Amino acid sequence: RLAMSYGLVPIVNDNNFLPSIVGNSRLVANELKPEAYCKIITDVIESGDYEYLSREMYERVQHNFTQKVIEKKLKNLNTKLA
């Protein structure tokens, strides 16, 4: 999340919750092999989409994971549970 807040494009694996944070299946390696990660990195570079994905990651953090957004979500959840 921190890297994304600076516009870095993460490449994650599908063995945990990280795909839901990244929110873009194109950036998810389905195997824990270097080749899977290299394929994604190569695709992003060759397609010229790095700047677009960088902005997408930055905006995703701003809309979903800032302290203010999380506090609001928790307050709404607390209200629903009360």
Coordinates of all heavy atoms in Angstrom, one line a residue:
R1 N 0.8 -1.2 0.0 CA 0.0 0.0 0.0 C 0.9 1.3 0.0 O 0.6 2.2 -0.7 CB -0.9 -0.1 1.2 CG -2.0 1.0 1.2 CD -2.7 1.0 2.5 NE -1.9 1.8 3.4 CZ -2.1 2.0 4.6 NH1 -3.2 1.6 5.2 NH2 -1.4 2.7 5.4
L2 N 1.9 1.3 0.8 CA 2.8 2.5 0.9 C 3.4 2.7 -0.5 O 3.4 3.8 -1.0 CB 3.9 2.3 1.9 CG 4.8 3.5 2.1 CD1 4.1 4.7 2.4 CD2 5.9 3.1 3.1
A3 N 4.0 1.7 -1.1 CA 4.6 1.8 -2.4 C 3.6 2.4 -3.4 O 3.9 3.3 -4.2 CB 5.2 0.5 -2.9
M4 N 2.4 1.9 -3.4 CA 1.3 2.3 -4.3 C 1.0 3.8 -4.1 O 0.6 4.5 -5.0 CB 0.1 1.5 -4.1 CG 0.2 0.0 -4.7 SD -1.1 -1.1 -4.2 CE -2.6 -0.2 -4.8
S5 N 1.1 4.3 -2.8 CA 0.8 5.7 -2.5 C 1.8 6.6 -3.2 O 1.5 7.8 -3.4 CB 0.7 5.9 -1.0 OG 2.0 5.9 -0.5
Y6 N 2.9 6.1 -3.6 CA 3.9 6.9 -4.3 C 3.8 6.6 -5.8 O 4.7 7.1 -6.6 CB 5.3 6.6 -3.8 CG 5.6 7.2 -2.5 CD1 5.5 6.4 -1.3 CD2 5.9 8.5 -2.3 CE1 5.7 6.9 -0.1 CE2 6.1 9.1 -1.1 CZ 6.0 8.2 0.1 OH 6.2 8.8 1.3
G7 N 2.9 5.8 -6.3 CA 2.7 5.5 -7.7 C 3.5 4.4 -8.2 O 3.6 4.2 -9.4
L8 N 4.1 3.6 -7.3 CA 4.9 2.5 -7.8 C 3.9 1.4 -8.1 O 2.8 1.2 -7.5 CB 5.8 2.0 -6.7 CG 6.9 3.0 -6.3 CD1 7.8 2.4 -5.2 CD2 7.8 3.2 -7.5
V9 N 4.2 0.6 -9.2 CA 3.4 -0.4 -9.7 C 3.8 -1.8 -9.1 O 4.9 -2.3 -9.4 CB 3.4 -0.5 -11.2 CG1 2.5 -1.6 -11.7 CG2 3.0 0.9 -11.8
P10 N 3.0 -2.3 -8.1 CA 3.4 -3.6 -7.5 C 3.1 -4.8 -8.4 O 2.1 -4.8 -9.1 CB 2.6 -3.6 -6.2 CG 1.3 -2.9 -6.6 CD 1.8 -1.8 -7.6
I11 N 3.9 -5.8 -8.3 CA 3.6 -7.1 -8.9 C 3.5 -8.0 -7.7 O 4.4 -8.1 -6.9 CB 4.7 -7.6 -9.8 CG1 5.1 -6.5 -10.8 CG2 4.3 -8.9 -10.5 CD1 4.0 -6.1 -11.8
V12 N 2.3 -8.6 -7.5 CA 2.0 -9.4 -6.3 C 1.7 -10.9 -6.7 O 1.4 -11.1 -7.9 CB 0.9 -8.8 -5.5 CG1 1.2 -7.4 -5.0 CG2 -0.4 -8.8 -6.3
N13 N 1.7 -11.8 -5.7 CA 1.3 -13.1 -6.0 C -0.2 -13.3 -5.6 O -0.8 -12.5 -4.9 CB 2.2 -14.1 -5.3 CG 2.1 -14.1 -3.8 OD1 1.1 -14.2 -3.2 ND2 3.3 -13.9 -3.2
D14 N -0.8 -14.4 -6.0 CA -2.2 -14.7 -5.7 C -2.4 -15.6 -4.5 O -3.5 -16.1 -4.3 CB -2.9 -15.3 -6.9 CG -2.4 -16.6 -7.3 OD1 -1.3 -17.1 -6.7 OD2 -3.0 -17.3 -8.2
N15 N -1.4 -15.7 -3.6 CA -1.5 -16.6 -2.4 C -2.0 -15.9 -1.2 O -2.0 -16.5 -0.1 CB -0.1 -17.2 -2.2 CG 0.3 -18.2 -3.2 OD1 -0.6 -18.8 -3.9 ND2 1.5 -18.4 -3.5
N16 N -2.4 -14.7 -1.3 CA -2.9 -14.0 -0.1 C -3.9 -12.9 -0.4 O -4.5 -12.9 -1.5 CB -1.7 -13.4 0.7 CG -0.8 -12.6 -0.2 OD1 -1.2 -11.8 -1.0 ND2 0.5 -12.8 -0.1
F17 N -4.0 -11.8 0.4 CA -4.9 -10.8 0.2 C -4.4 -9.7 -0.8 O -5.2 -8.7 -1.1 CB -5.3 -10.1 1.5 CG -4.1 -9.5 2.2 CD1 -3.8 -8.2 2.0 CD2 -3.3 -10.2 3.0 CE1 -2.7 -7.6 2.6 CE2 -2.2 -9.7 3.6 CZ -1.9 -8.3 3.4
L18 N -3.2 -9.7 -1.2 CA -2.6 -8.6 -2.0 C -3.4 -8.3 -3.3 O -3.5 -7.1 -3.7 CB -1.2 -8.9 -2.3 CG -0.3 -8.8 -1.0 CD1 1.2 -9.2 -1.4 CD2 -0.3 -7.4 -0.4
P19 N -3.9 -9.3 -4.0 CA -4.6 -9.0 -5.2 C -5.8 -8.0 -5.0 O -6.1 -7.2 -5.8 CB -5.1 -10.3 -5.8 CG -4.1 -11.3 -5.3 CD -3.7 -10.8 -3.9
S20 N -6.5 -8.2 -3.8 CA -7.6 -7.3 -3.5 C -7.1 -5.9 -3.2 O -7.9 -4.9 -3.4 CB -8.4 -7.8 -2.3 OG -7.6 -7.9 -1.1
I21 N -5.9 -5.7 -2.7 CA -5.4 -4.4 -2.5 C -5.0 -3.7 -3.8 O -5.3 -2.6 -4.1 CB -4.2 -4.4 -1.5 CG1 -4.7 -4.8 -0.1 CG2 -3.5 -3.0 -1.5 CD1 -3.6 -4.9 0.9
V22 N -4.3 -4.5 -4.7 CA -3.8 -4.0 -6.0 C -5.0 -3.7 -6.9 O -5.0 -2.7 -7.6 CB -2.8 -5.0 -6.6 CG1 -2.5 -4.6 -8.0 CG2 -1.6 -5.0 -5.8
G23 N -6.0 -4.6 -6.9 CA -7.2 -4.4 -7.7 C -7.0 -4.5 -9.2 O -7.9 -4.0 -9.9
N24 N -6.0 -5.1 -9.7 CA -5.8 -5.2 -11.1 C -5.1 -6.6 -11.4 O -4.0 -6.8 -11.1 CB -4.9 -4.1 -11.6 CG -4.7 -4.1 -13.1 OD1 -4.7 -5.1 -13.8 ND2 -4.5 -2.9 -13.7
S25 N -5.9 -7.5 -11.9 CA -5.4 -8.8 -12.1 C -4.2 -8.9 -13.0 O -3.5 -9.9 -13.0 CB -6.6 -9.7 -12.6 OG -7.0 -9.3 -13.9
R26 N -4.0 -7.9 -13.8 CA -2.9 -7.9 -14.7 C -1.6 -7.9 -13.9 O -0.5 -8.3 -14.5 CB -3.0 -6.7 -15.6 CG -1.9 -6.5 -16.6 CD -2.1 -5.3 -17.4 NE -1.0 -5.0 -18.3 CZ -0.8 -3.9 -18.9 NH1 -1.7 -2.9 -18.8 NH2 0.3 -3.7 -19.7
L27 N -1.6 -7.4 -12.7 CA -0.4 -7.3 -11.9 C -0.2 -8.4 -10.9 O 0.6 -8.3 -10.0 CB -0.4 -5.9 -11.2 CG -0.6 -4.7 -12.1 CD1 -0.7 -3.5 -11.2 CD2 0.6 -4.6 -13.0
V28 N -1.0 -9.5 -11.1 CA -0.9 -10.6 -10.2 C -0.3 -11.8 -10.8 O -0.7 -12.3 -11.9 CB -2.4 -11.0 -9.7 CG1 -2.3 -12.2 -8.8 CG2 -3.0 -9.9 -9.0
A29 N 0.8 -12.3 -10.2 CA 1.5 -13.5 -10.7 C 0.8 -14.7 -10.1 O 0.6 -14.8 -8.9 CB 3.0 -13.5 -10.2
N30 N 0.4 -15.6 -11.0 CA -0.3 -16.8 -10.6 C 0.6 -18.0 -10.1 O 0.1 -19.0 -9.7 CB -1.2 -17.3 -11.7 CG -2.3 -16.3 -12.0 OD1 -2.8 -15.7 -11.1 ND2 -2.6 -16.1 -13.2
E31 N 1.9 -17.8 -10.3 CA 2.9 -18.8 -9.8 C 4.0 -18.1 -9.1 O 4.3 -16.9 -9.4 CB 3.5 -19.5 -11.0 CG 2.5 -20.2 -11.9 CD 3.3 -20.9 -13.1 OE1 3.4 -20.2 -14.1 OE2 3.7 -22.0 -12.9
L32 N 4.5 -18.8 -8.1 CA 5.7 -18.2 -7.4 C 7.0 -18.6 -8.0 O 7.9 -19.1 -7.4 CB 5.6 -18.8 -5.9 CG 4.5 -18.3 -5.1 CD1 4.5 -19.0 -3.7 CD2 4.6 -16.8 -4.9
K33 N 7.1 -18.2 -9.3 CA 8.3 -18.4 -10.1 C 8.7 -17.1 -10.7 O 7.9 -16.3 -11.1 CB 8.0 -19.4 -11.2 CG 7.6 -20.8 -10.8 CD 7.4 -21.7 -12.0 CE 7.0 -23.1 -11.5 NZ 6.8 -24.0 -12.7
P34 N 10.0 -16.9 -10.7 CA 10.6 -15.6 -11.3 C 10.0 -15.3 -12.7 O 9.8 -14.2 -13.0 CB 12.1 -15.8 -11.3 CG 12.3 -16.9 -10.3 CD 11.1 -17.8 -10.3
E35 N 9.8 -16.4 -13.5 CA 9.4 -16.2 -14.8 C 8.0 -15.5 -14.9 O 7.7 -14.7 -15.7 CB 9.3 -17.5 -15.6 CG 10.6 -18.2 -15.7 CD 11.0 -19.1 -14.5 OE1 10.3 -19.2 -13.6 OE2 12.2 -19.6 -14.6
A36 N 7.1 -15.8 -13.9 CA 5.8 -15.3 -13.9 C 5.9 -13.8 -13.6 O 5.1 -13.0 -14.2 CB 4.9 -16.0 -12.8
Y37 N 6.8 -13.4 -12.7 CA 6.9 -12.0 -12.4 C 7.6 -11.2 -13.5 O 7.2 -10.1 -13.9 CB 7.8 -11.8 -11.1 CG 7.1 -12.2 -9.9 CD1 7.1 -13.6 -9.5 CD2 6.4 -11.3 -9.1 CE1 6.4 -14.0 -8.3 CE2 5.7 -11.7 -7.9 CZ 5.7 -13.1 -7.6 OH 5.1 -13.5 -6.4
C38 N 8.6 -11.8 -14.2 CA 9.3 -11.2 -15.3 C 8.3 -11.0 -16.5 O 8.4 -10.0 -17.1 CB 10.4 -12.1 -15.8 SG 11.8 -12.1 -14.7
K39 N 7.4 -11.9 -16.7 CA 6.4 -11.8 -17.8 C 5.5 -10.6 -17.5 O 5.3 -9.8 -18.5 CB 5.5 -13.1 -17.9 CG 4.6 -13.0 -19.0 CD 3.8 -14.3 -19.1 CE 2.8 -14.4 -20.2 NZ 2.0 -13.3 -20.5
I40 N 5.1 -10.4 -16.3 CA 4.2 -9.2 -16.0 C 5.0 -7.9 -16.2 O 4.6 -6.9 -16.8 CB 3.7 -9.3 -14.6 CG1 2.7 -10.5 -14.5 CG2 2.9 -8.0 -14.2 CD1 2.3 -10.9 -13.1
I41 N 6.2 -7.9 -15.6 CA 7.1 -6.7 -15.8 C 7.4 -6.3 -17.2 O 7.2 -5.2 -17.7 CB 8.4 -6.9 -15.0 CG1 8.1 -7.0 -13.5 CG2 9.4 -5.7 -15.3 CD1 9.3 -7.5 -12.7
T42 N 7.7 -7.4 -18.0 CA 8.0 -7.2 -19.4 C 6.7 -6.6 -20.1 O 6.8 -5.7 -20.9 CB 8.4 -8.5 -20.1 OG1 9.6 -8.9 -19.4 CG2 8.7 -8.3 -21.5
D43 N 5.6 -7.2 -19.8 CA 4.3 -6.8 -20.4 C 4.0 -5.3 -20.1 O 3.7 -4.5 -21.0 CB 3.2 -7.6 -20.0 CG 1.8 -7.2 -20.5 OD1 1.7 -7.0 -21.7 OD2 0.9 -6.9 -19.7
V44 N 4.2 -4.9 -18.9 CA 3.9 -3.5 -18.5 C 4.9 -2.6 -19.2 O 4.4 -1.5 -19.7 CB 4.1 -3.4 -16.9 CG1 4.1 -1.9 -16.5 CG2 2.9 -4.1 -16.2
I45 N 6.2 -2.9 -19.3 CA 7.1 -2.0 -19.9 C 6.9 -2.0 -21.4 O 6.8 -0.9 -22.0 CB 8.6 -2.5 -19.7 CG1 8.9 -2.3 -18.2 CG2 9.6 -1.8 -20.5 CD1 10.2 -3.0 -17.7
E46 N 6.7 -3.1 -22.1 CA 6.5 -3.2 -23.5 C 5.2 -2.5 -24.0 O 5.2 -2.0 -25.1 CB 6.7 -4.6 -24.0 CG 8.1 -5.1 -24.0 CD 8.3 -6.5 -24.5 OE1 7.2 -7.2 -24.8 OE2 9.4 -7.0 -24.6
S47 N 4.2 -2.6 -23.2 CA 2.9 -2.0 -23.5 C 2.9 -0.5 -23.4 O 2.0 0.2 -23.9 CB 1.8 -2.6 -22.7 OG 1.9 -2.2 -21.3
G48 N 3.9 0.0 -22.6 CA 3.9 1.5 -22.4 C 2.9 1.9 -21.4 O 2.6 3.1 -21.3
D49 N 2.4 1.0 -20.6 CA 1.3 1.3 -19.6 C 1.8 1.6 -18.2 O 1.0 1.8 -17.3 CB 0.4 0.1 -19.5 CG -0.5 -0.1 -20.7 OD1 -0.6 0.8 -21.5 OD2 -1.0 -1.2 -20.9
Y50 N 3.1 1.8 -18.0 CA 3.6 2.0 -16.7 C 3.0 3.3 -16.1 O 2.6 3.3 -14.9 CB 5.1 2.0 -16.6 CG 5.6 2.2 -15.2 CD1 5.8 1.0 -14.4 CD2 5.8 3.4 -14.6 CE1 6.1 1.1 -13.1 CE2 6.2 3.5 -13.3 CZ 6.4 2.4 -12.5 OH 6.7 2.5 -11.2
E51 N 3.0 4.4 -16.8 CA 2.5 5.6 -16.3 C 1.0 5.5 -15.9 O 0.6 6.0 -14.9 CB 2.8 6.8 -17.3 CG 4.2 7.2 -17.3 CD 4.5 8.4 -18.2 OE1 3.6 9.3 -18.2 OE2 5.5 8.4 -18.8
Y52 N 0.3 4.9 -16.8 CA -1.2 4.7 -16.6 C -1.4 3.9 -15.3 O -2.2 4.2 -14.4 CB -1.8 4.0 -17.8 CG -3.2 3.5 -17.4 CD1 -4.3 4.3 -17.4 CD2 -3.4 2.1 -17.1 CE1 -5.6 3.9 -17.1 CE2 -4.7 1.7 -16.8 CZ -5.7 2.6 -16.8 OH -7.0 2.1 -16.5
L53 N -0.6 2.7 -15.2 CA -0.8 1.9 -14.0 C -0.3 2.6 -12.7 O -0.9 2.4 -11.7 CB 0.0 0.6 -14.2 CG -0.6 -0.4 -15.3 CD1 0.4 -1.5 -15.6 CD2 -1.9 -0.9 -14.8
S54 N 0.8 3.4 -12.9 CA 1.3 4.2 -11.7 C 0.2 5.1 -11.2 O -0.1 5.1 -10.0 CB 2.5 5.0 -12.2 OG 2.9 5.8 -11.1
R55 N -0.5 5.8 -12.1 CA -1.6 6.7 -11.7 C -2.7 5.9 -11.1 O -3.3 6.3 -10.1 CB -2.1 7.5 -12.9 CG -3.1 8.5 -12.6 CD -2.4 9.6 -11.9 NE -3.4 10.6 -11.5 CZ -3.3 11.6 -10.6 NH1 -2.1 11.6 -10.0 NH2 -4.2 12.4 -10.4
E56 N -3.1 4.7 -11.7 CA -4.1 3.9 -11.2 C -3.8 3.4 -9.8 O -4.7 3.4 -8.9 CB -4.3 2.6 -12.1 CG -5.4 1.7 -11.7 CD -5.5 0.5 -12.5 OE1 -5.0 0.5 -13.7 OE2 -6.0 -0.6 -12.0
M57 N -2.6 3.0 -9.5 CA -2.2 2.6 -8.1 C -2.3 3.7 -7.1 O -2.9 3.6 -6.0 CB -0.8 2.0 -8.1 CG -0.7 0.7 -8.9 SD -1.8 -0.6 -8.4 CE -3.0 -0.7 -9.8
Y58 N -1.8 4.9 -7.5 CA -1.9 6.1 -6.7 C -3.3 6.4 -6.3 O -3.7 6.6 -5.2 CB -1.2 7.3 -7.3 CG -1.4 8.5 -6.6 CD1 -0.6 8.9 -5.5 CD2 -2.4 9.4 -7.0 CE1 -0.8 10.0 -4.8 CE2 -2.6 10.6 -6.3 CZ -1.8 10.9 -5.2 OH -2.0 12.1 -4.5
E59 N -4.2 6.4 -7.3 CA -5.6 6.8 -7.1 C -6.3 5.7 -6.3 O -7.2 6.0 -5.5 CB -6.3 7.0 -8.5 CG -5.8 8.3 -9.1 CD -6.4 8.5 -10.5 OE1 -7.2 7.6 -11.0 OE2 -6.1 9.5 -11.1
R60 N -5.9 4.5 -6.5 CA -6.6 3.4 -5.7 C -6.3 3.6 -4.2 O -7.2 3.4 -3.4 CB -6.1 2.0 -6.2 CG -6.7 0.9 -5.5 CD -6.6 -0.4 -6.3 NE -7.1 -1.5 -5.5 CZ -8.4 -1.8 -5.4 NH1 -9.3 -1.1 -6.0 NH2 -8.8 -2.9 -4.7
V61 N -5.1 3.9 -3.9 CA -4.7 4.2 -2.5 C -5.5 5.4 -2.0 O -6.1 5.3 -0.9 CB -3.2 4.3 -2.3 CG1 -2.9 4.8 -0.9 CG2 -2.5 3.0 -2.5
Q62 N -5.5 6.4 -2.7 CA -6.2 7.7 -2.3 C -7.7 7.5 -2.1 O -8.3 8.1 -1.2 CB -6.0 8.8 -3.3 CG -4.5 9.2 -3.5 CD -3.8 9.5 -2.2 OE1 -4.3 10.3 -1.4 NE2 -2.7 8.9 -2.0
H63 N -8.3 6.6 -2.9 CA -9.8 6.4 -2.8 C -10.2 5.3 -1.8 O -11.3 5.2 -1.4 CB -10.4 6.1 -4.1 CG -10.3 7.2 -5.1 ND1 -9.7 7.2 -6.3 CD2 -10.7 8.5 -4.9 CE1 -9.8 8.3 -6.9 NE2 -10.4 9.2 -6.1
N64 N -9.2 4.4 -1.4 CA -9.6 3.3 -0.6 C -8.8 3.0 0.7 O -9.3 2.4 1.5 CB -9.4 2.0 -1.5 CG -10.4 2.0 -2.6 OD1 -11.6 1.9 -2.5 ND2 -9.8 2.1 -3.8
F65 N -7.6 3.6 0.8 CA -6.7 3.2 1.8 C -6.1 4.3 2.7 O -5.2 4.0 3.4 CB -5.6 2.2 1.3 CG -6.2 1.0 0.6 CD1 -6.0 0.8 -0.7 CD2 -6.8 0.0 1.4 CE1 -6.6 -0.3 -1.4 CE2 -7.4 -1.1 0.7 CZ -7.2 -1.3 -0.6
T66 N -6.5 5.5 2.5 CA -5.9 6.6 3.4 C -6.6 6.4 4.8 O -7.6 5.8 4.9 CB -6.2 8.0 2.8 OG1 -7.6 8.2 2.8 CG2 -5.6 8.2 1.4
Q67 N -5.9 7.0 5.7 CA -6.4 7.0 7.1 C -7.9 7.5 7.2 O -8.7 7.0 7.8 CB -5.5 7.8 8.1 CG -6.0 7.7 9.5 CD -5.0 8.4 10.4 OE1 -3.9 8.6 10.1 NE2 -5.5 8.6 11.6
K68 N -8.1 8.6 6.5 CA -9.4 9.2 6.5 C -10.5 8.3 5.9 O -11.6 8.2 6.5 CB -9.4 10.5 5.7 CG -10.6 11.4 5.7 CD -10.4 12.7 5.0 CE -11.6 13.6 5.2 NZ -11.4 14.9 4.5
V69 N -10.2 7.6 4.8 CA -11.1 6.7 4.2 C -11.4 5.5 5.1 O -12.5 5.1 5.3 CB -10.6 6.2 2.8 CG1 -11.4 5.1 2.2 CG2 -10.5 7.4 1.8
I70 N -10.3 5.0 5.7 CA -10.5 3.8 6.6 C -11.3 4.2 7.8 O -12.2 3.4 8.2 CB -9.1 3.3 7.0 CG1 -8.3 2.8 5.8 CG2 -9.2 2.2 8.0 CD1 -8.9 1.6 5.1
E71 N -11.0 5.3 8.4 CA -11.8 5.8 9.5 C -13.3 5.9 9.2 O -14.2 5.4 10.0 CB -11.3 7.1 10.0 CG -10.0 7.0 10.8 CD -9.5 8.4 11.2 OE1 -10.1 9.4 10.9 OE2 -8.4 8.4 11.8
K72 N -13.6 6.4 8.0 CA -15.0 6.6 7.6 C -15.6 5.2 7.4 O -16.8 5.0 7.8 CB -15.1 7.3 6.3 CG -16.5 7.6 5.8 CD -16.5 8.4 4.5 CE -17.9 8.7 4.1 NZ -17.9 9.5 2.8
K73 N -14.9 4.2 6.8 CA -15.4 2.9 6.6 C -15.7 2.2 7.9 O -16.7 1.5 8.1 CB -14.5 2.1 5.8 CG -14.5 2.4 4.3 CD -13.5 1.6 3.5 CE -13.5 2.0 2.1 NZ -12.5 1.2 1.3
L74 N -14.8 2.4 8.9 CA -14.9 1.8 10.2 C -16.1 2.4 11.0 O -16.9 1.7 11.6 CB -13.7 1.9 11.0 CG -12.5 1.0 10.6 CD1 -11.2 1.4 11.4 CD2 -12.8 -0.4 10.7
K75 N -16.3 3.7 10.9 CA -17.4 4.4 11.5 C -18.8 3.9 10.9 O -19.7 3.6 11.6 CB -17.3 5.9 11.4 CG -16.3 6.5 12.3 CD -16.2 8.0 12.1 CE -15.1 8.6 12.9 NZ -15.0 10.0 12.7
N76 N -18.8 3.7 9.6 CA -20.0 3.2 8.9 C -20.3 1.8 9.4 O -21.4 1.4 9.6 CB -19.9 3.3 7.4 CG -20.0 4.7 6.9 OD1 -20.5 5.6 7.6 ND2 -19.5 4.9 5.7
L77 N -19.3 1.0 9.4 CA -19.4 -0.4 9.9 C -19.9 -0.5 11.3 O -20.8 -1.3 11.6 CB -18.1 -1.2 9.7 CG -18.1 -2.6 10.1 CD1 -19.1 -3.4 9.2 CD2 -16.7 -3.2 9.9
N78 N -19.3 0.4 12.2 CA -19.7 0.4 13.6 C -21.2 0.8 13.7 O -21.9 0.2 14.5 CB -18.8 1.3 14.3 CG -19.0 1.3 15.8 OD1 -19.3 0.2 16.4 ND2 -19.0 2.4 16.5
T79 N -21.6 1.8 12.9 CA -23.0 2.2 12.9 C -23.9 1.1 12.5 O -25.0 0.9 13.1 CB -23.2 3.4 12.0 OG1 -22.3 4.5 12.4 CG2 -24.6 3.9 12.0
K80 N -23.6 0.3 11.5 CA -24.4 -0.8 11.0 C -24.5 -1.9 12.1 O -25.5 -2.6 12.2 CB -23.8 -1.4 9.7 CG -24.0 -0.5 8.5 CD -23.4 -1.1 7.3 CE -23.5 -0.2 6.1 NZ -23.0 -0.8 4.9
L81 N -23.4 -2.1 12.8 CA -23.4 -3.2 13.8 C -24.1 -2.8 15.1 O -24.5 -3.6 15.9 CB -21.9 -3.6 14.1 CG -21.2 -4.2 13.0 CD1 -19.7 -4.5 13.4 CD2 -21.8 -5.5 12.6
A82 N -24.2 -1.5 15.4 CA -24.8 -1.0 16.6 C -26.3 -1.2 16.6 O -27.0 -1.4 15.8 CB -24.5 0.5 16.8

